[in-house]
């Protein structure tokens, strides 16, 4: 709600993917300048330093700038780089929290991340660069949420089993969560790779843990 | 935004603490019936089964019921119990994701939960019953977020150090995040208990990890 109020006052909107464009279309004034800075997996894209510079440049020119990100700025959004750039330039700013797909995608598929008996903790990470992760630590948490894991599902499944998760551990993959085009698969570490074979999975969220086997809503 | 649309259509609102009451006041029609089902730490409170029954009872009577929770239903909200009760009763429902304090409180204190160099994963848990947690696993994740930890901060600090986190590990405690009454403390596992001695900490979020030492906004 606060974010839509700010968007309605924007003179410049700097936005990226994951739903941000739709919000700009719906709420930003027609006269506001639109700057798209989305990064796309596998294609050359704008560098973070350039995005920081664009925001600072418009703000120091005295314009009301709204930097709109899909999801919540707290999660894999590089928001701190932008905050630091604004601070260094002496620009006043406000950061609004958002609805993170890490939490919203499981709900859209019909289950929460915590449960009194099945999940007392969850961990969120990015599977963009699976080799850099501490799989021993991640495998030990009740529920694991992996963002940007569309192309590394097989590797995720292998690493978790190597670090002690049973082949029977429930897994859900949710693609384009909460959109009319949403698709979701439920299976186990042992079954999910063959279940999703041949499917385009990006953008998706992978959830591993017993909550992923909670009864699917019948709607 | 979707949640406010639904609230405006409500005939019955079943709500609890953590900001829900303020939203009901602002958005629910004056004629809508209000049912408070908040649970309060340390005091006798309504049982989850009774809340489930209240929701089902109003819904099966044909009323448009909005069950409003503070934060996101995905995180420590018992939402699955309510969904299961509605399914069992054959009631159609929609679940809206929300802004979780687990992500919003760090942002309100000036830092995100992930950072390209400092934090590639974060875990969220409740410190309500610290003895039940797998501290070995939690201590191994870059960033740890603890909800309901106001009265167990000393125990949290002790367990994390016992399981390998250094006394120099940064810690932030954020009380009443994003409210005008917000208070935040930044320190380390070695210092935070004495820094917050004598303070009322509940309701608070505890964040442990290097992101908690990112420069504080100068605003």
């Amino acid at each position: 709600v606060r974010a839509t109020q700010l968007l309605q006052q924007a003179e410049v909107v700097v936005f990226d993917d994951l739903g941000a464009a739709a919000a700009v279309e719906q709420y930003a004034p027609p006269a506001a300048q639109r700057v798209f800075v989305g990064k796309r997996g596998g294609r050359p894209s704008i560098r973070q330093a350039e995005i920081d510079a664009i925001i600072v440049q418009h703000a120091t020119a005295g314009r009301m700038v709204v930097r709109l990100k899909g999801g919540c700025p707290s999660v894999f959004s590089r928001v701190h780089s932008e905050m630091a750039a604004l601070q260094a330039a002496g620009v006043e700013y406000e950061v609004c929290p958002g609805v993170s797909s890490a939490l919203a995608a499981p709900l859209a598929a019909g289950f929460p991340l915590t449960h009194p008996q099945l999940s007392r903790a969850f961990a969120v990470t990015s599977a963009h660069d699976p080799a850099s992760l501490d799989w021993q630590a991640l495998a030990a948490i009740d529920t694991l949420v992996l963002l940007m894991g569309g192309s590394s599902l097989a590797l995720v499944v292998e690493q978790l089993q190597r670090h002690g998760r049973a082949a029977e551990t429930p897994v859900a993959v949710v693609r384009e969560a909460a959109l009319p085009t949403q698709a979701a698969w439920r299976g186990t570490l042992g079954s999910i790779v063959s279940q999703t074979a041949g499917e385009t999975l990006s953008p998706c969220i992978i959830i591993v843990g017993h909550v992923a086997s909670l009864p699917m809503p019948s709607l």
Side-chain angles (χ1 to χ4, degrees), chain A residues 16-24 68 70:
Chain A
D16 49 28
D17 288 325
L18 305 169
V24 170
L68 189 71

Side-chain angles (χ1 to χ4, degrees), chain A residues 117-184:
Chain A
Q117 284 77 47
L118 302 179
S119 176
R120 280 177 300 208
F122 66 91
V124 178
T125 191
S126 163
H128 179 65
D129 178 17
S132 71
L133 297 174
D134 180 349
W135 289 103
Q136 187 70 50
L138 295 171
I141 301 287
D142 289 345
T143 302
L144 179 58
V145 180
L146 296 130
L147 312 183
M148 294 165 262
S151 57
S152 49
L153 179 62
L155 214 148
V156 165
V157 161
E158 184 201 326
Q159 287 287 356
L160 289 172
Q161 292 188 86
R162 184 179 298 175
H163 291 91
R165 303 269 343 208
E168 295 73 36
T169 308
V171 179
V173 175
V174 188
R175 184 185 69 198
E176 302 189 272
L179 294 178
T181 48
Q182 172 175 319

